[in-house]
Amino acid sequence: MKTGLSAEYILRKSLCREPHYASGEDWKQRAEGEIDNLSYAHAYAEPGYTQPEREILFANWNYFPCRVTDILKRAGYGIEWSDEWTMCDDCGKALRTSPDSYSWQPSHVYFGGDVCLECLKGDAGDYLETLEDNPRTALNTDIDPAEYGYIRLQDKFENGFHQGQTDDPKKIYASLKDKYSRILFKIDEVSQFYTVFSVWHHPE
Ligand SMILES: [Zn+2]
């Protein structure tokens, strides 16, 4: 790990300048509050992000001069917005909570807390059970139900904006529930205008 000035030191020093987005007279107080509550993660659990040399910092950067995030990045820190990220309750790695593209899907689930897919790997059976027999919810992460004994009944259902994309999970569920138990919906693809999903069941 790189040694050098701490993020807290750099941020406190930066407060001699006006912030990028000064809202009201109390910006300095708010900035100090951000520094006092600064949260750190030691790594990303979100795919597609490069591991910084030092920790990933979460704050509302609007309360700081815009140059300070460049200085922190050069010092080896990762910079993220605190309202768009959370941390895995198990391993403490950083997880995005708000989409950064139309096709984004979370890399964590809520199961008594935020849990990343790495921590859930091989052990997602109990979580999947919580999604069963509910057409208003669906598995929307990269977990393969087949690894947990589920059998796919049908895929390529489409629900969305375009003509013919009218597959309705409630109707599908109603048509299957007498024949199968432990039915699970899985979202396979999302885009700006539609969702592609499949339906699974567990034979036990
Ligand atoms: Zn984790």
Side-chain angles (χ1 to χ4, degrees):
M1 186 161 287
K2 203 165 160 179
T3 55
L5 297 174
S6 78
E8 202 184 313
Y9 178 85
I10 295 168
L11 286 168
R12 287 204 195 279
K13 278 283 175 193
S14 80
L15 299 185
C16 61
R17 280 167 185 263
E18 282 264 310
H20 176 49
Y21 174 77
S23 59
E25 294 293 305
D26 59 346
W27 67 267
K28 205 162 191 170
Q29 231 178 312
R30 285 171 186 250
E32 275 162 0
E34 290 289 317
I35 298 170
D36 292 339
N37 296 307
L38 196 66
S39 47
Y40 295 79
H42 61 281
Y44 284 103
E46 190 76 15
Y49 284 80
T50 310
Q51 200 56 48
E53 283 176 72
R54 296 172 79 169
E55 293 94 341
I56 301 145
L57 310 174
F58 306 96
N60 182 343
W61 303 105
N62 283 329
Y63 297 128
F64 298 94
C66 50
R67 263 187 41 151
V68 78
T69 49
D70 294 332
I71 293 167
L72 287 167
K73 280 180 199 166
R74 276 205 299 277
Y77 290 102
I79 300 294
E80 303 296 352
W81 292 84
S82 50
D83 61 346
E84 294 179 354
W85 289 78
T86 185
M87 280 173 262
C88 174
D89 281 355
D90 217 358
C91 66
K93 290 184 183 174
L95 293 161
R96 179 171 265 286
T97 54
S98 68
D100 57 356
S101 71
Y102 289 117
S103 60
W104 178 85
Q105 290 194 275
S107 288
H108 65 283
V109 302
Y110 188 82
F111 188 50
D114 292 315
V115 186
C116 79
L117 294 188
E118 278 171 52
C119 288
L120 207 64
K121 203 165 189 178
D123 206 20
D126 290 344
Y127 165 68
L128 293 177
E129 267 188 57
T130 68
L131 306 177
E132 288 176 1
D133 296 317
N134 183 355
R136 288 183 308 276
T137 195
L139 174 64
N140 67 340
T141 49
D142 194 19
I143 295 170
D144 182 2
E147 284 179 23
Y148 298 90
Y150 291 82
I151 294 164
R152 192 169 62 200
L153 295 169
Q154 199 178 329
D155 65 351
K156 297 192 167 57
F157 285 113
E158 292 184 8
N159 189 292
F161 182 79
H162 298 295
Q163 204 176 3
Q165 293 180 323
T166 54
D167 293 322
D168 177 354
K170 277 187 231 115
K171 285 183 191 155
I172 294 165
Y173 181 70
S175 73
L176 294 171
K177 71 177 170 55
D178 294 335
K179 210 167 157 197
Y180 300 99
S181 58
R182 302 190 60 184
I183 292 169
L184 175 73
F185 288 91
K186 179 179 190 298
I187 293 171
D188 297 309
E189 188 192 336
V190 286
S191 84
Q192 187 177 0
F193 299 113
Y194 63 89
T195 302
V196 180
F197 62 98
S198 52
V199 62
W200 300 66
H201 95 109
H202 199 295
E204 271 165 31

